[in-house]
Amino acid sequence: MASSLHQLLKEEGFEKGKLLKNQPDDSTALPIYICRGRKSSEITEHKDEKTVIRNGSSLFSSFKPKSDEPVIDEAAIKAVISILGGYTGRYLKDESYRAMVKDKCTSCLLSRRKAGSDGGIFMNMELGIESIDKLVEDRGNKKELRMKLLRNSIRLLSIVASLNCEKSRNGSTCGVPHSHLSACAQLYLSIVYKLEKNHRLSARHLLQVFCDSAFLARTHLLPDLWDHFFLPHLLHLKVWYHKELEHLSNLGNALKETKMKALSKLYNDQMDMGTAMFAMYYKEWLKIGAKVPPVPTVPLPSSSSYGSSRRRSSESHASVSSINRNLYQTVFGAATEWQSMELNHRIRTSIDICRLEAEENEFKYENYNQNKKKTHRRSSSSHIYSTPRTELLPETKKSGHFRFFSCQSRPKGCLVNGKINVRNNSMRNLEHLDLPLSDLSKAIATICSSDVLSDCEIAIRVMTKAWLDSHGDSTIEAALTKAPIIEGVLEVLFASNDDEVMELAILILAEFITRSKVNRQIILNSDPQLEIFLKLLKNSSLFLKAAVLLYLLRPKAKQMISTEWIPLSLRVLEFGEHLQTLYTIRCSPQVAALYFLDQLLTGFNEDRNLENACQVVSLGGLNLLMRNVEFGGVLERNKAALIISCCIRADGSCRHYVADKLNKAALIELMVGNCKDSNGSVIALLTELLCLNRRTQMMKFLNELLRGWGGLNTMHILLACLHKALPEERPLVAALLLQLDLLGDPFRCSVYREEAVEVIIETLDCEKCNDKIQQQSAKALTMLGGRFSYMGEATTESWLLKQAGFHENLEDSFQKKEIGDNFLDEGEEEIENWQKKAAIALLNSGNKRFLAALSNSMAKDIPSLARASLVTIAWMSCFLHLAGDKDFQAMASSILTPRLLESLNSNRVLEERVLATFSLQQIRKSSEYIA
């Protein structure tokens, strides 16, 4: 046994300080939907220009692998570690989660423990867990004590984990399989290394849990992680299983029961095998310097192996798993209350790993009877009871808003060919409804007062059939659209696991919402934090319909406070390209997703908005949003453009990725499509994208924009946009139009340049423009300065201060580094050429009026605009001698010199005085040059 963390690391094949030097090939498979290459490109962006973009991935040609085998992308590895680390990290922060994990391990191990000698195995496990909890609960321990506890935990847990070696893997201790003991030990080893901040090794141990006992890990220990990380690779098995179940449903009861048991065993065995294979696959990813391992192949089981004689068309479909590059949903949050019920269902319908089904049912029955005595029909205060905790299941955290139901329905899958399928059985089944609660009045009474879930589910079916048969009859509508009934339907939605019933509830609620705003408000009041919709959006069968239903409610950001909303909305955006039909309502889930994202990124305070925008970037949402800029309705495309601009403002480094990947023709098409409407969202996005730090990339972007769309002239489209733009948009459109015009000859006048310069002069008039216009005018001047940091912040002023020799006095070391990096950049010559062209165009076209406008805006002393005007004068003064003759120089000096001398007053900030001095020196040099 290793005596130190360092030795343990070496045993695992890791060495501190060792970094990957090779970069990925196209064959590298990503486990998640992530903005690949953007983060890793930040490291090499300033050092190497040989970046190759291919198939949505950023691939680096700077380094060549020593062998032909590709090395895994470091950004992808970090993403995997981050995802897995989220689960172990929660253990350190959440006390209730710690208790739940401990209860899960204890319930599984002790439930099968028999009398006999265990060789101290269970004691080692207990002591190891105890040491970890001490470390977590008391972070203030001395370093020596912490190291001692860490070593002790690792030593004890490693002894337990070693039971799963080749010789003893199939054995047991006191009746508990070694695979179960090892899986629990590996889970806690993962937590230990998370405490030690060894995130890579922590992730490997977490993956080992699924290698040691795939079934236990996926159904009991870590079902939420399995759902989000492994299941997307194995969806073809789930599709196959549900098809087989559908086929068996037509058989007689005796034969059906036998074959369903065999099918369940076969399905679970194959799912376990696939889970273990992918766990090993990702463990290989996390070896330092590892080559790309082969993607696991998990074939479909043969139907004949459980006695099915059906000839399946599905056999013609792909039967092996593949790496899903669009799995951003793997970063979904931790388990919530509905997953507890889903875990219960999975354990019931699968092999009984802990042989506790009978005990669990008895426990639940006793709890129900005890609660039943205390439970009353819903009072006017709507006090509802929540589900009691069982020994096996984690404690649910329902809000206490929904009543206690005595049973849960069996969920039914509806995945077909790997895609979400609109369920038709729900409607067909209603046609043959012949159930005890066939009377509508009984169904209404049941949904309002019964505590038996199965009865309420039947009531949903009866009410839905009555609604369909009524064809809009006002009597039926009046009977069903009462607050107690709507609230009852919501409660069933929250408690039920029957997809068919939940879908019917979604459909009828959608009808209610479109009939009256009152019904909409009843739903929002009943579920103010949208807990029901969070559950529905996590349902792989119903999340698209649930998104449409929620969209009909038009919730506000203040109701969407959970951190899960971003990933859930992105999943809807990715898979919601087809219209969903909810009886008489047809709506695109993507429209709903964009509405949610807009609320989440603009509806909170500034800090929360930026935090949410960063989450969109980190989950790979940019690719989805860029796709939606290209396709869909005009309103949705505008919203997608606006959301992208929010993301860029939150994480400036992603603007380079967007600038490279975004379809520029689609932006021009969108500007044309807006017709009479404002192009504000497109202008906002273009403004952000023009703040690139490399002039070569900027020129590439402008040239691609200039190519236009459909043979139309981009300059003409922008000119038309300038004429109809809102006052606060005009200076930004003018700056964009001028930059495109400057791709040509700066000495040659054009109508586009004249119009653009005229608008800039107008918007510099402080007396005629409000604060918002002034802010945008300052931004337009900043854009024309042409110097930006990698994060998109203007650096023209910093560059000028450096030219004036002021950089030595700058206190901000980070700023000095930023200035230095920018100044020494190999594109410095291109930036100076750009500034020269911009200065010549502005001075020749704007002439005296432009200089006077800059001078006047300085005199008005409006903070942002006055400073931007001073900076503009400073960099333009470097090229003043190129713009005209001696008379022009004299005129420029007469306008600017008095204002610059005023800026030398001691009451001005030091930077302004330095800029004014620098400008005066350049004006003097310019006059001497002409003379």
Side-chain angles (χ1 to χ4, degrees), residues 343-372:
L343 170 62
N344 184 30
H345 167 68
R346 283 198 295 262
I347 293 176
R348 285 177 175 275
T349 57
S350 303
I351 303 171
D352 186 2
I353 58 170
C354 294
R355 304 183 184 279
L356 289 176
E357 185 173 16
E359 290 86 347
E360 181 189 352
N361 288 336
E362 182 179 354
F363 182 86
K364 289 181 69 178
Y365 181 75
E366 290 173 359
N367 273 275
Y368 169 66
N369 284 335
Q370 292 170 5
N371 281 278
K372 190 71 174 177

mmCIF file of all heavy atoms in Angstrom, residues 343-372:
data_model
loop_
_atom_site.group_PDB
_atom_site.id
_atom_site.type_symbol
_atom_site.label_atom_id
_atom_site.label_comp_id
_atom_site.label_asym_id
_atom_site.label_seq_id
_atom_site.Cartn_x
_atom_site.Cartn_y
_atom_site.Cartn_z
ATOM 1 N N LEU A 343 -35.625 6.368 -9.846
ATOM 2 C CA LEU A 343 -34.739 5.338 -9.318
ATOM 3 C C LEU A 343 -35.554 4.174 -8.784
ATOM 4 O O LEU A 343 -35.235 3.012 -9.021
ATOM 5 C CB LEU A 343 -33.870 5.935 -8.200
ATOM 6 C CG LEU A 343 -33.047 4.945 -7.375
ATOM 7 C CD1 LEU A 343 -32.062 4.220 -8.280
ATOM 8 C CD2 LEU A 343 -32.320 5.657 -6.256
ATOM 9 N N ASN A 344 -36.634 4.502 -8.080
ATOM 10 C CA ASN A 344 -37.500 3.452 -7.538
ATOM 11 C C ASN A 344 -38.038 2.577 -8.658
ATOM 12 O O ASN A 344 -38.050 1.353 -8.569
ATOM 13 C CB ASN A 344 -38.655 4.102 -6.767
ATOM 14 C CG ASN A 344 -39.542 3.073 -6.100
ATOM 15 O OD1 ASN A 344 -39.070 2.005 -5.726
ATOM 16 N ND2 ASN A 344 -40.815 3.396 -5.948
ATOM 17 N N HIS A 345 -38.446 3.205 -9.745
ATOM 18 C CA HIS A 345 -38.970 2.437 -10.879
ATOM 19 C C HIS A 345 -37.900 1.569 -11.522
ATOM 20 O O HIS A 345 -38.139 0.412 -11.848
ATOM 21 C CB HIS A 345 -39.530 3.410 -11.921
ATOM 22 C CG HIS A 345 -39.802 2.748 -13.235
ATOM 23 N ND1 HIS A 345 -40.789 1.809 -13.402
ATOM 24 C CD2 HIS A 345 -39.169 2.872 -14.418
ATOM 25 C CE1 HIS A 345 -40.769 1.394 -14.653
ATOM 26 N NE2 HIS A 345 -39.801 2.026 -15.287
ATOM 27 N N ARG A 346 -36.695 2.136 -11.687
ATOM 28 C CA ARG A 346 -35.635 1.361 -12.321
ATOM 29 C C ARG A 346 -35.277 0.132 -11.506
ATOM 30 O O ARG A 346 -35.024 -0.942 -12.044
ATOM 31 C CB ARG A 346 -34.385 2.245 -12.508
ATOM 32 C CG ARG A 346 -34.494 3.199 -13.661
ATOM 33 C CD ARG A 346 -33.116 3.694 -14.047
ATOM 34 N NE ARG A 346 -32.525 4.484 -12.993
ATOM 35 C CZ ARG A 346 -32.546 5.816 -12.969
ATOM 36 N NH1 ARG A 346 -33.142 6.475 -13.922
ATOM 37 N NH2 ARG A 346 -31.972 6.474 -11.982
ATOM 38 N N ILE A 347 -35.248 0.300 -10.167
ATOM 39 C CA ILE A 347 -34.909 -0.844 -9.325
ATOM 40 C C ILE A 347 -35.995 -1.910 -9.411
ATOM 41 O O ILE A 347 -35.728 -3.102 -9.459
ATOM 42 C CB ILE A 347 -34.704 -0.387 -7.865
ATOM 43 C CG1 ILE A 347 -33.464 0.496 -7.777
ATOM 44 C CG2 ILE A 347 -34.579 -1.569 -6.923
ATOM 45 C CD1 ILE A 347 -33.213 1.072 -6.414
ATOM 46 N N ARG A 348 -37.277 -1.459 -9.509
ATOM 47 C CA ARG A 348 -38.372 -2.423 -9.567
ATOM 48 C C ARG A 348 -38.369 -3.223 -10.856
ATOM 49 O O ARG A 348 -38.675 -4.403 -10.863
ATOM 50 C CB ARG A 348 -39.715 -1.682 -9.442
ATOM 51 C CG ARG A 348 -40.014 -1.207 -8.035
ATOM 52 C CD ARG A 348 -41.327 -0.421 -8.045
ATOM 53 N NE ARG A 348 -41.717 -0.042 -6.708
ATOM 54 C CZ ARG A 348 -42.407 -0.828 -5.884
ATOM 55 N NH1 ARG A 348 -42.743 -2.032 -6.262
ATOM 56 N NH2 ARG A 348 -42.723 -0.413 -4.679
ATOM 57 N N THR A 349 -38.081 -2.582 -11.939
ATOM 58 C CA THR A 349 -38.179 -3.250 -13.233
ATOM 59 C C THR A 349 -36.885 -3.917 -13.654
ATOM 60 O O THR A 349 -36.776 -4.414 -14.752
ATOM 61 C CB THR A 349 -38.586 -2.231 -14.322
ATOM 62 O OG1 THR A 349 -37.629 -1.188 -14.336
ATOM 63 C CG2 THR A 349 -39.961 -1.667 -14.037
ATOM 64 N N SER A 350 -35.881 -3.871 -12.837
ATOM 65 C CA SER A 350 -34.596 -4.467 -13.171
ATOM 66 C C SER A 350 -34.272 -5.596 -12.207
ATOM 67 O O SER A 350 -35.070 -5.940 -11.333
ATOM 68 C CB SER A 350 -33.507 -3.403 -13.105
ATOM 69 O OG SER A 350 -33.817 -2.336 -13.957
ATOM 70 N N ILE A 351 -33.100 -6.184 -12.358
ATOM 71 C CA ILE A 351 -32.657 -7.226 -11.438
ATOM 72 C C ILE A 351 -32.556 -6.647 -10.047
ATOM 73 O O ILE A 351 -32.049 -5.565 -9.863
ATOM 74 C CB ILE A 351 -31.296 -7.774 -11.885
ATOM 75 C CG1 ILE A 351 -31.414 -8.291 -13.319
ATOM 76 C CG2 ILE A 351 -30.799 -8.859 -10.962
ATOM 77 C CD1 ILE A 351 -30.087 -8.652 -13.918
ATOM 78 N N ASP A 352 -33.025 -7.389 -9.047
ATOM 79 C CA ASP A 352 -33.044 -6.880 -7.678
ATOM 80 C C ASP A 352 -31.672 -7.040 -7.056
ATOM 81 O O ASP A 352 -31.321 -8.117 -6.588
ATOM 82 C CB ASP A 352 -34.099 -7.650 -6.876
ATOM 83 C CG ASP A 352 -34.268 -7.076 -5.484
ATOM 84 O OD1 ASP A 352 -33.590 -6.082 -5.186
ATOM 85 O OD2 ASP A 352 -35.067 -7.632 -4.720
ATOM 86 N N ILE A 353 -30.906 -5.926 -7.038
ATOM 87 C CA ILE A 353 -29.521 -6.059 -6.598
ATOM 88 C C ILE A 353 -29.390 -6.195 -5.098
ATOM 89 O O ILE A 353 -28.429 -6.751 -4.606
ATOM 90 C CB ILE A 353 -28.701 -4.843 -7.064
ATOM 91 C CG1 ILE A 353 -29.293 -3.553 -6.518
ATOM 92 C CG2 ILE A 353 -28.605 -4.781 -8.543
ATOM 93 C CD1 ILE A 353 -28.393 -2.369 -6.738
ATOM 94 N N CYS A 354 -30.327 -5.663 -4.376
ATOM 95 C CA CYS A 354 -30.190 -5.720 -2.921
ATOM 96 C C CYS A 354 -31.272 -6.563 -2.249
ATOM 97 O O CYS A 354 -31.354 -6.603 -1.022
ATOM 98 C CB CYS A 354 -30.196 -4.301 -2.341
ATOM 99 S SG CYS A 354 -28.772 -3.328 -2.813
ATOM 100 N N ARG A 355 -32.124 -7.175 -3.056
ATOM 101 C CA ARG A 355 -33.191 -8.045 -2.549
ATOM 102 C C ARG A 355 -34.024 -7.343 -1.474
ATOM 103 O O ARG A 355 -34.352 -7.908 -0.441
ATOM 104 C CB ARG A 355 -32.609 -9.344 -1.991
ATOM 105 C CG ARG A 355 -31.755 -10.119 -2.981
ATOM 106 C CD ARG A 355 -31.270 -11.417 -2.371
ATOM 107 N NE ARG A 355 -30.391 -12.116 -3.284
ATOM 108 C CZ ARG A 355 -30.794 -12.879 -4.294
ATOM 109 N NH1 ARG A 355 -32.079 -13.037 -4.505
ATOM 110 N NH2 ARG A 355 -29.923 -13.466 -5.083
ATOM 111 N N LEU A 356 -34.337 -6.082 -1.722
ATOM 112 C CA LEU A 356 -35.070 -5.319 -0.713
ATOM 113 C C LEU A 356 -36.450 -4.875 -1.198
ATOM 114 O O LEU A 356 -37.055 -4.010 -0.609
ATOM 115 C CB LEU A 356 -34.270 -4.071 -0.318
ATOM 116 C CG LEU A 356 -33.011 -4.347 0.503
ATOM 117 C CD1 LEU A 356 -32.279 -3.043 0.733
ATOM 118 C CD2 LEU A 356 -33.359 -4.993 1.815
ATOM 119 N N GLU A 357 -36.906 -5.434 -2.291
ATOM 120 C CA GLU A 357 -38.170 -4.955 -2.839
ATOM 121 C C GLU A 357 -39.314 -5.166 -1.860
ATOM 122 O O GLU A 357 -40.125 -4.277 -1.628
ATOM 123 C CB GLU A 357 -38.470 -5.676 -4.157
ATOM 124 C CG GLU A 357 -39.713 -5.147 -4.851
ATOM 125 C CD GLU A 357 -39.875 -5.771 -6.215
ATOM 126 O OE1 GLU A 357 -39.230 -6.784 -6.477
ATOM 127 O OE2 GLU A 357 -40.663 -5.235 -6.995
ATOM 128 N N ALA A 358 -39.356 -6.342 -1.259
ATOM 129 C CA ALA A 358 -40.443 -6.639 -0.335
ATOM 130 C C ALA A 358 -40.397 -5.719 0.874
ATOM 131 O O ALA A 358 -41.406 -5.152 1.294
ATOM 132 C CB ALA A 358 -40.368 -8.097 0.104
ATOM 133 N N GLU A 359 -39.177 -5.572 1.425
ATOM 134 C CA GLU A 359 -39.043 -4.719 2.593
ATOM 135 C C GLU A 359 -39.406 -3.272 2.263
ATOM 136 O O GLU A 359 -40.030 -2.585 3.049
ATOM 137 C CB GLU A 359 -37.604 -4.777 3.126
ATOM 138 C CG GLU A 359 -37.224 -6.093 3.752
ATOM 139 C CD GLU A 359 -36.724 -7.085 2.701
ATOM 140 O OE1 GLU A 359 -36.915 -6.821 1.503
ATOM 141 O OE2 GLU A 359 -36.149 -8.096 3.105
ATOM 142 N N GLU A 360 -38.989 -2.848 1.061
ATOM 143 C CA GLU A 360 -39.265 -1.461 0.673
ATOM 144 C C GLU A 360 -40.758 -1.219 0.531
ATOM 145 O O GLU A 360 -41.293 -0.221 0.997
ATOM 146 C CB GLU A 360 -38.566 -1.159 -0.651
ATOM 147 C CG GLU A 360 -38.764 0.263 -1.121
ATOM 148 C CD GLU A 360 -38.244 0.466 -2.515
ATOM 149 O OE1 GLU A 360 -37.592 -0.460 -3.047
ATOM 150 O OE2 GLU A 360 -38.507 1.539 -3.066
ATOM 151 N N ASN A 361 -41.441 -2.168 -0.131
ATOM 152 C CA ASN A 361 -42.888 -2.027 -0.304
ATOM 153 C C ASN A 361 -43.598 -1.990 1.040
ATOM 154 O O ASN A 361 -44.529 -1.218 1.262
ATOM 155 C CB ASN A 361 -43.424 -3.180 -1.148
ATOM 156 C CG ASN A 361 -43.021 -3.047 -2.593
ATOM 157 O OD1 ASN A 361 -42.740 -1.947 -3.044
ATOM 158 N ND2 ASN A 361 -42.965 -4.146 -3.319
ATOM 159 N N GLU A 362 -43.154 -2.877 1.958
ATOM 160 C CA GLU A 362 -43.764 -2.931 3.283
ATOM 161 C C GLU A 362 -43.562 -1.612 4.014
ATOM 162 O O GLU A 362 -44.465 -1.071 4.641
ATOM 163 C CB GLU A 362 -43.140 -4.083 4.083
ATOM 164 C CG GLU A 362 -43.764 -4.248 5.459
ATOM 165 C CD GLU A 362 -43.134 -5.413 6.207
ATOM 166 O OE1 GLU A 362 -42.320 -6.122 5.616
ATOM 167 O OE2 GLU A 362 -43.474 -5.597 7.384
ATOM 168 N N PHE A 363 -42.338 -1.080 3.876
ATOM 169 C CA PHE A 363 -42.024 0.192 4.517
ATOM 170 C C PHE A 363 -42.910 1.314 3.976
ATOM 171 O O PHE A 363 -43.452 2.119 4.716
ATOM 172 C CB PHE A 363 -40.552 0.530 4.278
ATOM 173 C CG PHE A 363 -40.119 1.795 4.949
ATOM 174 C CD1 PHE A 363 -39.684 1.795 6.266
ATOM 175 C CD2 PHE A 363 -40.139 2.993 4.244
ATOM 176 C CE1 PHE A 363 -39.286 2.973 6.863
ATOM 177 C CE2 PHE A 363 -39.731 4.162 4.843
ATOM 178 C CZ PHE A 363 -39.304 4.159 6.152
ATOM 179 N N LYS A 364 -43.052 1.354 2.666
ATOM 180 C CA LYS A 364 -43.866 2.394 2.033
ATOM 181 C C LYS A 364 -45.330 2.250 2.435
ATOM 182 O O LYS A 364 -46.032 3.221 2.672
ATOM 183 C CB LYS A 364 -43.733 2.329 0.510
ATOM 184 C CG LYS A 364 -42.383 2.788 0.013
ATOM 185 C CD LYS A 364 -42.293 2.729 -1.477
ATOM 186 C CE LYS A 364 -43.185 3.782 -2.090
ATOM 187 N NZ LYS A 364 -43.090 3.789 -3.547
ATOM 188 N N TYR A 365 -45.801 0.987 2.502
ATOM 189 C CA TYR A 365 -47.204 0.744 2.855
ATOM 190 C C TYR A 365 -47.492 1.211 4.271
ATOM 191 O O TYR A 365 -48.504 1.848 4.548
ATOM 192 C CB TYR A 365 -47.516 -0.749 2.697
ATOM 193 C CG TYR A 365 -48.958 -1.098 3.008
ATOM 194 C CD1 TYR A 365 -49.982 -0.797 2.116
ATOM 195 C CD2 TYR A 365 -49.285 -1.702 4.223
ATOM 196 C CE1 TYR A 365 -51.290 -1.101 2.412
ATOM 197 C CE2 TYR A 365 -50.601 -2.023 4.524
ATOM 198 C CZ TYR A 365 -51.606 -1.715 3.606
ATOM 199 O OH TYR A 365 -52.895 -2.014 3.894
ATOM 200 N N GLU A 366 -46.555 0.893 5.181
ATOM 201 C CA GLU A 366 -46.727 1.308 6.568
ATOM 202 C C GLU A 366 -46.710 2.832 6.673
ATOM 203 O O GLU A 366 -47.528 3.414 7.368
ATOM 204 C CB GLU A 366 -45.606 0.718 7.428
ATOM 205 C CG GLU A 366 -45.728 -0.794 7.599
ATOM 206 C CD GLU A 366 -44.512 -1.377 8.306
ATOM 207 O OE1 GLU A 366 -43.596 -0.602 8.621
ATOM 208 O OE2 GLU A 366 -44.513 -2.589 8.538
ATOM 209 N N ASN A 367 -45.786 3.451 5.975
ATOM 210 C CA ASN A 367 -45.718 4.905 5.993
ATOM 211 C C ASN A 367 -46.981 5.526 5.436
ATOM 212 O O ASN A 367 -47.464 6.538 5.923
ATOM 213 C CB ASN A 367 -44.506 5.389 5.184
ATOM 214 C CG ASN A 367 -43.264 5.448 6.043
ATOM 215 O OD1 ASN A 367 -43.014 6.415 6.720
ATOM 216 N ND2 ASN A 367 -42.524 4.370 6.028
ATOM 217 N N TYR A 368 -47.487 4.913 4.374
ATOM 218 C CA TYR A 368 -48.691 5.458 3.752
ATOM 219 C C TYR A 368 -49.863 5.375 4.712
ATOM 220 O O TYR A 368 -50.635 6.318 4.887
ATOM 221 C CB TYR A 368 -49.002 4.711 2.458
ATOM 222 C CG TYR A 368 -50.381 5.041 1.907
ATOM 223 C CD1 TYR A 368 -50.636 6.341 1.453
ATOM 224 C CD2 TYR A 368 -51.391 4.101 1.872
ATOM 225 C CE1 TYR A 368 -51.879 6.668 0.967
ATOM 226 C CE2 TYR A 368 -52.631 4.427 1.387
ATOM 227 C CZ TYR A 368 -52.884 5.700 0.929
ATOM 228 O OH TYR A 368 -54.110 6.027 0.450
ATOM 229 N N ASN A 369 -50.030 4.209 5.368
ATOM 230 C CA ASN A 369 -51.137 4.050 6.307
ATOM 231 C C ASN A 369 -51.046 5.041 7.459
ATOM 232 O O ASN A 369 -52.044 5.584 7.904
ATOM 233 C CB ASN A 369 -51.160 2.613 6.849
ATOM 234 C CG ASN A 369 -51.704 1.631 5.828
ATOM 235 O OD1 ASN A 369 -52.454 2.031 4.947
ATOM 236 N ND2 ASN A 369 -51.330 0.363 5.939
ATOM 237 N N GLN A 370 -49.807 5.259 7.926
ATOM 238 C CA GLN A 370 -49.636 6.216 9.016
ATOM 239 C C GLN A 370 -50.012 7.615 8.559
ATOM 240 O O GLN A 370 -50.679 8.358 9.270
ATOM 241 C CB GLN A 370 -48.191 6.193 9.504
ATOM 242 C CG GLN A 370 -47.818 4.893 10.195
ATOM 243 C CD GLN A 370 -46.332 4.803 10.451
ATOM 244 O OE1 GLN A 370 -45.601 5.758 10.200
ATOM 245 N NE2 GLN A 370 -45.884 3.663 10.941
ATOM 246 N N ASN A 371 -49.582 7.972 7.366
ATOM 247 C CA ASN A 371 -49.878 9.310 6.847
ATOM 248 C C ASN A 371 -51.339 9.452 6.443
ATOM 249 O O ASN A 371 -51.897 10.528 6.508
ATOM 250 C CB ASN A 371 -48.984 9.637 5.645
ATOM 251 C CG ASN A 371 -47.603 10.060 6.080
ATOM 252 O OD1 ASN A 371 -47.392 11.205 6.429
ATOM 253 N ND2 ASN A 371 -46.681 9.113 6.097
ATOM 254 N N LYS A 372 -51.936 8.339 6.018
ATOM 255 C CA LYS A 372 -53.313 8.380 5.555
ATOM 256 C C LYS A 372 -54.237 8.810 6.678
ATOM 257 O O LYS A 372 -55.220 9.521 6.485
ATOM 258 C CB LYS A 372 -53.710 6.996 5.035
ATOM 259 C CG LYS A 372 -55.038 6.968 4.314
ATOM 260 C CD LYS A 372 -54.943 7.666 2.984
ATOM 261 C CE LYS A 372 -56.235 7.523 2.195
ATOM 262 N NZ LYS A 372 -56.181 8.240 0.940
#
